Amino acid sequence: MSIEINTDVLSVILYFLRYNRRSLHSCLLVNRLWCELTIPILWRDPWTFFYRLENTSSPSVQNQPIKLINTYLSLLPQESIIELQNNGINVPIYQYKSTLNYPSYLRGLDLDYLNRSILRWHYKYNEKHSTHPFQKAVTRLKKFCKKVTGRDDSIETTNDEDRIRYDQIHLICSKLLSLFFKESPKLSLIRIKQKKYEIPFPLFENLVKLDETKNCLSYLTGLECVDDHNMEEIYTHLALNNTNISQIMIHGYRNTSSLANLISVQKKLQKLYIVNVSRVSPNDYWTTPGVGLELQRKAPFITILKLEGSCRFLELLKDFINLKEFSLRCVHRNSCINNNNNNRLLVKAPKLINLEKFEFECDHKYEIKFIVDLIKSTRHLRKVIIEGSRILDPTNCNLLLDSIKTYCPRLKNCSIPLSTIDPPLITLLRSCKEIQRLCLFSVPSANQININYCDNFLLQILEFEKLEPTNLRTLELINCSFSVEVWEKFLKTQYETYGIYNTKETRKSVSYLWMEYNFYPPSEFLEICSLYKKLGMLKTYENISSCKSGLSPKYSLRLD
């Protein structure tokens, strides 16, 4: 008996998989209907699937961006391919042309990753790789010697090769961007990231002036951009074509006048991301005419705010009265240090009564009291993420736990620092019954580093689960030191309760991460980790820095 699924319902289900490339590829193979519904989702913003590839060693995975460029090149008109070949570009012969118009599905365009993908493609098909590494070293040494002795012929040859390569990549970018603007009925999101490469940006600047791109750009709702004076003309033309941008990410601070004007004309701005703003004080940024002042005027309408820079920007929170989500990564600790007040904030925590998600990550000493006061101003928090191993006031960890237990009854995602041997975890799980993910970040004192003082964390969780059912599905233990006996007992109990042969609907996923500068787990401990990872109970165990090194960017704009 076959069960037919309504097409609209199936589309909604597949849409929830839009960032899961592997699952989408599996859906392609079900039948023709599933394929027709999956293709537009898979090709709407293909660049997001490759953000994790920079630290990936697998050659097959590294070749995926090259295959993407090959697919787009195969859809170019014949005259464009001939023009590429006439300019010395070795374009593969495509025997079969796809019946699907993939550029027509494009809704998100990443200029930086487009250029990087073309560079990889050009290196594979148009660079000479036959030279032996030793011969390459000799050639480079000869060129260096010629430069030292003043023989300009080698310099001219090198410059000519670089110029030809630059012109070829520029031409490929031009053809693909023209294809995208022509075939895509609308672009909802454009990412213009930090300018590591020079090619796409002046090229894009010329294309936005064309009449055929105006309709395409008029649907723009998301923009990731660089606050740079070299982008003046691009922002000027975008301001003329679009006033409906709802989310914007800004890299850096140059106070570009055209970017300020672009922000001022937007009528629906709700999501704001500010990255790498550190060389200016919050008050100066907020009050100086330009980008900061225009953002201040939009602050009452912002519902999602994410910052990456200095934690001193917490002082600006009072203007965002309607925030629902707030995230701050402090990556510039030198700009946060204030010798006069021992790194304490100069303002009180604002009252954000609508706040539902709060994330805070800090690499230097930070004050828990400010975070506690912020949590107390709302009862709607569903997510509280606090990460950082250097607490200015570790005695307030219990105060933080008390505020979460009292003011966050709807909490589902929780990450908290712990500096005490016996934190009231049972009370926390009993008060916040909807918690599905719990991350415990241990902050040991100097005399606790080599002591298994975290055993109590696991024993409390085991004790609570014996008495009451729990919704906890994910448990992360960071920088914790456990005895071998308690760790093995905990994993064994979890495996017997949530193992692969158990009929329970929920299964707990456990991860263990450590910081090498504090301690390194003993070999016997790691052997147990290896065993239970093979059994499927332990998701991962490794150094926290290596775990995070291959992840996608912390903040990146995505299509709604």
Side-chain angles (χ1 to χ4, degrees):
M1 179 180 178
S2 61
I3 301 176
E4 293 186 3
I5 303 178
N6 183 277
T7 303
D8 294 334
V9 175
L10 181 58
S11 298
V12 174
I13 296 174
L14 293 175
Y15 182 76
F16 279 101
L17 300 174
R18 61 192 181 278
Y19 300 118
N20 191 330
R21 183 169 176 267
R22 182 175 298 180
S23 297
L24 288 174
H25 273 289
S26 299
C27 294
L28 288 174
L29 307 176
V30 176
N31 56 40
R32 186 180 183 87
L33 174 62
W34 282 57
C35 180
E36 292 175 351
L37 296 176
T38 305
I39 286 292
I41 299 175
L42 189 61
W43 286 86
R44 64 200 296 268
D45 192 10
W47 327 101
T48 59
F49 298 125
F50 304 131
Y51 286 153
R52 297 171 179 261
L53 300 186
E54 299 307 313
N55 299 311
T56 305
S57 58
S58 171
S60 61
V61 176
Q62 290 286 352
N63 285 333
Q64 290 177 2
I66 299 176
K67 294 179 181 178
L68 177 68
I69 298 301
N70 266 331
T71 301
Y72 282 134
L73 287 175
S74 68
L75 296 170
L76 286 175
Q78 188 63 30
E79 56 270 18
S80 296
I81 294 180
I82 293 175
E83 183 180 351
L84 293 177
Q85 293 174 341
N86 290 339
N87 281 271
I89 301 173
N90 181 23
V91 182
I93 299 175
Y94 305 104
Q95 297 180 352
Y96 302 99
K97 190 169 183 178
S98 175
T99 58
L100 296 173
N101 187 5
Y102 294 112
S104 66
Y105 306 126
L106 194 65
R107 299 295 179 271
L109 177 59
D110 191 317
L111 295 181
D112 180 61
Y113 207 87
L114 170 65
N115 187 67
R116 280 190 278 175
S117 300
I118 292 175
L119 285 173
R120 289 185 182 182
W121 181 92
H122 188 272
Y123 180 77
K124 179 176 180 179
Y125 290 104
N126 293 270
E127 298 285 348
K128 297 179 180 180
H129 306 292
S130 58
T131 307
H132 191 275
F134 179 74
Q135 293 176 338
K136 288 183 178 180
V138 173
T139 303
R140 290 175 182 173
L141 182 60
K142 287 182 179 179
K143 288 183 178 180
F144 176 75
C145 292
K146 290 179 180 179
K147 290 180 183 179
V148 173
T149 58
R151 293 184 59 183
D152 295 333
D153 56 337
S154 62
I155 300 176
E156 292 176 359
T157 303
T158 303
N159 290 337
D160 288 343
E161 292 176 355
D162 291 341
R163 181 181 56 79
I164 293 173
R165 180 172 177 269
Y166 179 94
D167 291 341
Q168 288 178 344
I169 296 174
H170 187 282
L171 183 60
I172 298 171
C173 282
S174 174
K175 295 302 178 184
L176 290 183
L177 284 175
S178 298
L179 176 69
F180 297 154
F181 283 121
K182 181 179 179 181
E183 298 295 335
S184 178
K186 63 178 182 179
L187 283 174
S188 301
L189 173 62
I190 292 181
R191 302 183 187 92
I192 311 175
K193 298 182 181 179
Q194 293 176 341
K195 203 164 52 170
K196 297 180 181 178
Y197 306 99
E198 297 290 337
I199 292 175
F201 302 104
L203 181 64
F204 182 73
E205 179 180 320
N206 293 329
L207 286 173
V208 296
K209 300 177 183 178
L210 301 179
D211 291 336
E212 64 183 18
T213 66
K214 290 184 178 179
N215 292 333
C216 181
L217 295 176
S218 63
Y219 293 94
L220 200 66
T221 59
L223 176 65
E224 183 172 349
C225 60
V226 183
D227 189 355
D228 193 297
H229 298 302
N230 295 324
M231 313 293 288
E232 289 275 7
E233 290 195 38
I234 292 180
Y235 300 143
T236 299
H237 285 284
L238 288 177
L240 294 174
N241 295 331
N242 192 287
T243 60
N244 296 317
I245 295 177
S246 61
Q247 58 173 340
I248 187 170
M249 175 183 284
I250 302 172
H251 292 264
Y253 172 72
R254 294 289 183 86
N255 203 15
T256 307
S257 58
S258 61
L259 178 58
N261 180 58
L262 175 62
I263 295 171
S264 67
V265 299
Q266 302 309 313
K267 301 177 181 178
K268 300 180 179 180
L269 190 60
Q270 294 181 331
K271 302 177 183 179
L272 174 61
Y273 303 71
I274 305 177
V275 179
N276 196 24
V277 181
S278 59
R279 297 183 180 180
V280 59
S281 70
N283 185 62
D284 291 343
Y285 184 73
W286 220 229
T287 56
T288 302
V291 175
L293 183 59
E294 294 301 332
L295 291 176
Q296 183 195 29
R297 292 169 178 169
K298 301 289 183 181
F301 308 101
I302 301 297
T303 58
I304 297 177
L305 175 64
K306 297 188 178 184
L307 305 174
E308 185 179 86
S310 167
C311 66
R312 304 297 300 181
F313 278 83
L314 287 170
E315 300 174 9
L316 306 180
L317 271 181
K318 62 182 185 302
D319 294 326
F320 295 88
I321 56 177
N322 290 311
L323 270 188
K324 292 185 178 180
E325 298 182 24
F326 172 68
S327 179
L328 171 65
R329 294 184 69 219
C330 182
V331 293
H332 299 287
R333 54 178 166 179
N334 292 333
S335 62
C336 301
I337 296 175
N338 189 323
N339 295 326
N340 296 327
N341 58 19
N342 197 22
N343 200 33
R344 293 178 182 273
L345 291 172
L346 301 177
V347 296
K348 293 182 179 180
K351 292 185 178 181
L352 305 176
I353 59 175
N354 297 320
L355 195 63
E356 297 179 358
K357 297 180 181 180
F358 173 71
E359 296 183 57
F360 180 75
E361 182 179 343
C362 194
D363 189 39
H364 61 75
K365 288 186 177 181
Y366 59 93
E367 187 177 6
I368 291 183
K369 184 64 166 60
F370 180 89
I371 299 174
V372 170
D373 293 339
L374 189 65
I375 291 175
K376 287 182 178 179
S377 69
T378 177
R379 291 180 180 268
H380 301 288
L381 277 173
R382 294 183 289 110
K383 182 178 183 179
V384 176
I385 305 295
I386 305 169
E387 297 182 0
S389 59
R390 304 177 184 181
I391 302 175
L392 189 66
D393 46 353
T395 55
N396 281 335
C397 277
N398 281 336
L399 184 63
L400 174 63
L401 278 170
D402 290 339
S403 65
I404 292 176
K405 290 184 299 182
T406 306
Y407 298 98
C408 306
R410 300 170 57 190
L411 196 65
K412 292 186 177 181
N413 190 341
C414 181
S415 176
I416 50 176
L418 296 175
S419 60
T420 57
I421 296 178
D422 189 20
L425 295 180
I426 292 180
T427 310
L428 173 67
L429 292 172
R430 185 171 289 124
S431 301
C432 306
K433 296 181 179 180
E434 298 182 15
I435 287 184
Q436 297 179 359
R437 175 187 176 269
L438 177 62
C439 176
L440 305 178
F441 198 117
S442 172
V443 185
S445 61
N447 61 345
Q448 292 175 331
I449 291 177
N450 297 317
I451 303 175
N452 299 318
Y453 72 101
C454 298
D455 284 355
N456 191 269
F457 301 174
L458 302 181
L459 295 175
Q460 286 193 64
I461 294 175
L462 289 175
E463 181 182 350
F464 177 78
E465 290 182 339
K466 287 182 180 179
L467 301 176
E468 301 180 34
T470 176
N471 291 320
L472 192 61
R473 298 180 182 177
T474 302
L475 177 64
E476 295 182 14
L477 304 163
I478 301 178
N479 210 36
C480 297
S481 175
F482 304 114
S483 64
V484 175
E485 295 77 13
V486 173
W487 180 239
E488 185 174 18
K489 176 184 177 182
F490 177 77
L491 290 179
K492 183 178 180 181
T493 304
Q494 300 304 305
Y495 179 74
E496 292 173 350
T497 306
Y498 302 100
I500 56 176
Y501 300 109
N502 199 287
T503 57
K504 288 196 174 184
E505 295 182 0
T506 59
R507 179 185 177 194
K508 187 180 299 178
S509 170
V510 182
S511 299
Y512 178 76
L513 306 172
W514 64 86
M515 305 175 75
E516 284 190 352
Y517 65 80
N518 270 351
F519 64 88
Y520 190 88
S523 57
E524 185 181 358
F525 185 92
L526 294 178
E527 288 176 3
I528 296 174
C529 291
S530 176
L531 171 63
Y532 281 92
K533 185 174 182 179
K534 292 178 181 178
L535 293 174
M537 186 61 249
L538 191 63
K539 182 179 180 181
T540 186
Y541 64 100
E542 58 185 318
N543 175 260
I544 189 170
S545 58
S546 60
C547 176
K548 291 186 175 182
S549 62
L551 297 182
S552 56
K554 184 71 175 181
Y555 299 146
S556 62
L557 290 191
R558 290 183 170 184
L559 290 170
D560 293 332

